[in-house]
Each structure stands twice: as structure tokens, then as C-alpha cells.
């Protein structure tokens, strides 16, 4: 199972919006709505930010939103804040009943 | 509050074995699928294995199939990962993760703090 494709890095200034893409295939992202996004700060465990393509767990800021079109999912963060600087990973359920992650995107808040 | 506490990591020689445990609390353990996810130093996340809520249905990444075995003891709220024939490339922090439902590998929504496994001579 190949990893989902994410940009290695993105950046934005405080208050701006950024979008991170996550491209897979019809056997994972395109075939299921089990697409999630995780935030990971250095030395910490990943934290679920978006699940089932567009749903936010309780306690996650509404500045975070998710969407999907075909084989590509996207995470948008609006009103960027310094605390958003972290690594972000997408994941998807696959047709083999496994989970595949993206390679990760490093978000820098300028 | 959901808590997942991994243990059992350490230094092991290539070809050796190690058994990881994950003690769960704060939720009805027997109602949720569980997964192991690893992260090599400086690298991204890699799903390793998942198991159904009742223990039936186990799934593995190709990279560990035939070497690793996932299991659970619902009477003790504990998840396990038996790792055999370990290789240098298995060196990573291993996270225990609770899935959001009975569907294995769909949505890990809570993670432990991880346990480090180092495979080196």
C-alpha cells in the first residue's frame, strides 16, 4: 500500500488561510469517507483534527475544516495562529481493511 | 478520560523479539477496534496493525506481515503486539491507538504517548 501524497511543506502568515492536499486512489481516499487529519507537535502524539472527511471532534477549533473531491482530500486552516505550526498527516481506510497515511506536511507560521 | 499507556519497548538485537502492551482505560475497551501505529525517527506515521473489537479480524501492513502478531485481552483492557524477527527498519516509536468505532483502521481517535523500540546490535 503506497502512502498518500501530501506536500512536504506549506507556510502562511498569522491570520491567513492555508490548504493541505492529500491525494490517493479509488482504493482509499476516493472509495471511502474514512479520511482523517492529524496534527502532531514535536515530541507529542498525533491529535485527531478531522474525521470522516469533514467532521471535527469536540474541542477542535472551527478554524479547521476538511473536504474531498474524487481521490483528493483537503485540510483548510483559516485564521492561522502560531500554535498551528506543526506536522499534519492525512489518513484513509483502504480496500484491504488497512489504514494508509500521507507522508506528512510541515506547516510553518511565518 | 481515555487513557492509553504503552509499555515493553527497548533495545533489541536484529532477529530478536519484543512484546508491546497497551493498557486502556476511560472507555469500554471491548467495544472498539484498536490499532498500532509507528513512527521512525524523523519520519512520518505508518500504520502497523489493527484488530477488531472482539479480537476477531486482524490486519497487518505488508512490512510486518508474518513477523508481527496483534492480540487483545478484553478482560484486562489490554492490547498487545508481538514482534518477531526484528529488523533495523522496525526502529520507531510505537503508538497504541483506539479506533472511533468497531471498524478496524478507519479512524484512530485517541493515541497513547508511545514506546520506543530500537533494533540494533
Amino acid at each position: 500500500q503506497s502512502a498518500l501524497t501530501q506536500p512536504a511543506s506549506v507556510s502562511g502568515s498569522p491570520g491567513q488561510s492555508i490548504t493541505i492536499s492529500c491525494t490517493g486512489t479509488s482504493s482509499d481516499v476516493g472509495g471511502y469517507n474514512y479520511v482523517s487529519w492529524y496534527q502532531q507537535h514535536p515530541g507529542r502524539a498525533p491529535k485527531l483534527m478531522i474525521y470522516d472527511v469533514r467532521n471535527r471532534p469536540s474541542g477542535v477549533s472551527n478554524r479547521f475544516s476538511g473536504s474531498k473531491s474524487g481521490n483528493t482530500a483537503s485540510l483548510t486552516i483559516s485564521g492561522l495562529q502560531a500554535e498551528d505550526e506543526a506536522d499534519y498527516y492525512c489518513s484513509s481506510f483502504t480496500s484491504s481493511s488497512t489504514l494508509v497515511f500521507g507522508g506528512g506536511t510541515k506547516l510553518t507560521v511565518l | 478520560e481515555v487513557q492509553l499507556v504503552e509499555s515493553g519497548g527497548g533495545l533489541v538485537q536484529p532477529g530478536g523479539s519484543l512484546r508491546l502492551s497497551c493498557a486502556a482505560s476511560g472507555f469500554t475497551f471491548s467495544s472498539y477496534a484498536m490499532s498500532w501505529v509507528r513512527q521512525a525517527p524523523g519520519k512520518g506515521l505508518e500504520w502497523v496493525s489493527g484488530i477488531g473489537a472482539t479480537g476477531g479480524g486482524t490486519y497487518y501492513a505488508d512490512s510486518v506481515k508474518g513477523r508481527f502478531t496483534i492480540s487483545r485481552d478484553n478482560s484486562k483492557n489490554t492490547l498487545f503486539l508481538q514482534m518477531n524477527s526484528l529488523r533495523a527498519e522496525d526502529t520507531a516509536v510505537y503508538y497504541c491507538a483506539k479506533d472511533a468505532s468497531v471498524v478496524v483502521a478507519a479512524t484512530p481517535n485517541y493515541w497513547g504517548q508511545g514506546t520506543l523500540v530500537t533494533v540494533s546490535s
Side-chain angles (χ1 to χ4, degrees), chain A residues 1 34-36 38 40 43-48 51-52 89 91-94 96-103, chain B residues 35 37 39 43-47 59-62 95 100-101 103-114:
Chain A
Q1 183 68 50
Y34 290 128
V35 175
S36 302
Y38 298 90
Q40 187 179 35
R44 303 294 298 273
K47 175 186 176 183
L48 181 66
Y51 68 97
D52 295 353
Y89 295 90
S91 72
S92 174
F93 181 76
T94 80
S96 303
S97 294
T98 61
L99 186 70
V100 62
F101 286 96
Chain B
S35 289
V37 179
Q39 187 169 33
K43 302 297 184 182
L45 301 172
E46 180 188 15
W47 181 85
Y59 305 87
Y60 300 91
D62 289 343
Y95 294 102
S101 70
V103 181
V104 180
T107 307
N109 61 348
Y110 287 95
W111 300 57
Q113 286 307 302

Side-chain angles (χ1 to χ4, degrees), chain B:
Chain B
E1 178 193 5
V2 172
Q3 285 200 325
L4 300 167
V5 179
E6 302 93 340
S7 61
L11 175 63
V12 61
Q13 293 188 338
S17 298
L18 215 52
R19 190 193 198 202
L20 304 183
S21 299
C22 171
S25 61
F27 64 101
T28 305
F29 183 70
S30 58
S31 295
Y32 295 91
M34 299 290 294
S35 289
W36 287 98
V37 179
R38 69 185 180 184
Q39 187 169 33
K43 302 297 184 182
L45 301 172
E46 180 188 15
W47 181 85
V48 172
S49 181
I51 186 169
T54 61
T58 57
Y59 305 87
Y60 300 91
D62 289 343
S63 58
V64 306
K65 200 172 294 183
R67 300 188 299 123
F68 290 11
T69 302
I70 190 172
S71 61
R72 64 191 296 164
D73 184 340
N74 285 349
S75 69
K76 296 184 178 178
N77 291 349
T78 304
L79 177 71
F80 302 101
L81 185 68
Q82 177 67 43
M83 304 186 296
N84 298 330
S85 302
L86 283 162
R87 307 166 180 167
E89 53 265 36
D90 295 319
T91 294
V93 172
Y94 284 73
Y95 294 102
C96 163
K98 167 190 169 295
D99 279 282
S101 70
V102 297
V103 181
V104 180
T107 307
N109 61 348
Y110 287 95
W111 300 57
Q113 286 307 302
T115 186
L116 177 62
V117 171
T118 303
V119 184
S120 175
S121 54

Side-chain angles (χ1 to χ4, degrees), chain A residues 51-74:
Chain A
Y51 68 97
D52 295 353
V53 177
R54 63 182 69 252
N55 296 317
R56 281 187 311 276
S58 174
V60 172
S61 170
N62 59 10
R63 298 185 298 105
F64 292 82
S65 62
S67 63
K68 188 182 84 168
S69 177
N71 296 337
T72 298
S74 298

Side-chain angles (χ1 to χ4, degrees), chain A residues 11-19 39 49 61-65 75-85 88 107-110:
Chain A
S11 63
S13 300
Q16 288 186 331
S17 295
I18 62 95
T19 296
Q39 176 192 66
M49 305 302 284
S61 170
N62 59 10
R63 298 185 298 105
F64 292 82
S65 62
L75 171 71
T76 297
I77 309 174
S78 59
L80 268 181
Q81 299 180 359
E83 68 210 47
D84 298 333
E85 185 163 294
Y88 290 85
L107 169 61
T108 300
V109 180
L110 302 170

